Amino acid sequence: MKGRIGVAGVRTVSGLNGIMVRGYLRDRLTLGGVVGFATFSHRENNDQGEFKDINTVGLIGAGPQVFFWPYQGSRKNQVYADFGVGGRALLYVGLTGINRNRPENATTLDIPLEIDIEIPLAAQLWIGERVAITPEFGFVARIIPGNREADQNGQADSNPGRGIAGRLGAEDGPGLGFEFGNSSTGMFIGLSIGYFFGDTAK
């Protein structure tokens, strides 16, 4: 497997939908990265009252990953599976577009910003020599930077992250969260489908 590189569509354990690139540094060790984004643009009035400004909001997520595959199925079979454990770090940054109501001297952190650390367990199901379907299940730590306590000017950070606090019944804002198997999509909360390039000699 050493030297092979795969490209896949992926939904990670923390919920990033994007494109993943994964390469085998050694037979049982892969290193890669994930990136995904979503944007929405619309026209709105500018300071002169003219309907000419284009406002764009969105969310970008990206980060590196590493997986170790201690058990690998026999490459002599047409269908076989590898089982592994990995680590993934993702940074989510929100695009808030034009904000005319924000004071010029504001120093608070109010853009969506979140850091997720994932520890997924994965089963990589190979169909032939090049196609792999990989469901994941695992642990996520969510770090939402900022401070909810107001400063001497009465300003507090309102960074909502990706809204996990609101989904769990609290007010969105800075904090620390942990998840294990929290998913509405079924048993596995991550999935990728990829195609691998490189030498397939057994």
Side-chain angles (χ1 to χ4, degrees):
M1 297 298 291
K2 182 179 179 181
R4 298 191 66 189
I5 297 176
V7 178
V10 62
R11 176 179 175 83
T12 74
V13 175
S14 66
L16 172 63
N17 297 315
I19 299 296
M20 175 179 67
V21 176
R22 173 186 290 165
Y24 278 83
L25 297 182
R26 305 189 65 167
D27 284 343
R28 301 179 187 273
L29 181 66
T30 61
L31 182 67
V34 183
V35 63
F37 69 90
T39 64
F40 181 79
S41 299
H42 62 90
R43 287 189 176 274
E44 65 177 25
N45 291 325
N46 58 22
D47 292 332
Q48 289 74 42
E50 300 173 331
F51 201 70
K52 293 184 177 180
D53 280 356
I54 296 179
N55 198 7
T56 299
V57 297
L59 187 68
I60 298 172
Q65 66 175 20
V66 61
F67 273 83
F68 177 64
W69 307 93
Y71 174 82
Q72 294 181 324
S74 174
R75 270 47 182 165
K76 296 179 181 180
N77 300 328
Q78 184 65 23
V79 178
Y80 52 92
D82 302 336
F83 296 91
V85 60
R88 186 182 287 126
L90 296 171
L91 174 66
Y92 296 90
V93 179
L95 308 173
T96 57
I98 301 171
N99 188 349
R100 296 188 179 88
N101 297 321
R102 178 177 171 82
E104 293 182 1
N105 62 347
T107 59
T108 55
L109 178 60
D110 56 7
I111 66 169
L113 180 65
E114 180 173 319
I115 301 168
D116 289 353
I117 308 298
E118 304 179 9
I119 303 177
L121 302 176
Q124 190 166 244
L125 177 64
W126 290 88
I127 302 175
E129 299 176 327
R130 298 192 180 275
V131 177
I133 301 173
T134 310
E136 299 178 1
F137 176 85
F139 173 83
V140 178
R142 298 182 186 269
I143 304 167
I144 302 177
N147 191 342
R148 292 179 184 238
E149 183 179 2
D151 59 20
Q152 59 185 4
N153 297 321
Q155 297 178 335
D157 298 324
S158 59
N159 170 24
R162 297 176 62 227
I164 184 61
R167 295 198 297 271
L168 295 178
E171 182 179 350
D172 288 331
L176 178 64
F178 300 98
E179 297 177 26
F180 183 75
N182 178 28
S183 172
S184 60
T185 59
M187 178 178 177
F188 291 101
I189 57 179
L191 181 69
S192 69
I193 302 176
Y195 184 89
F196 281 76
F197 302 88
D199 185 13
T200 61
K202 297 180 178 63

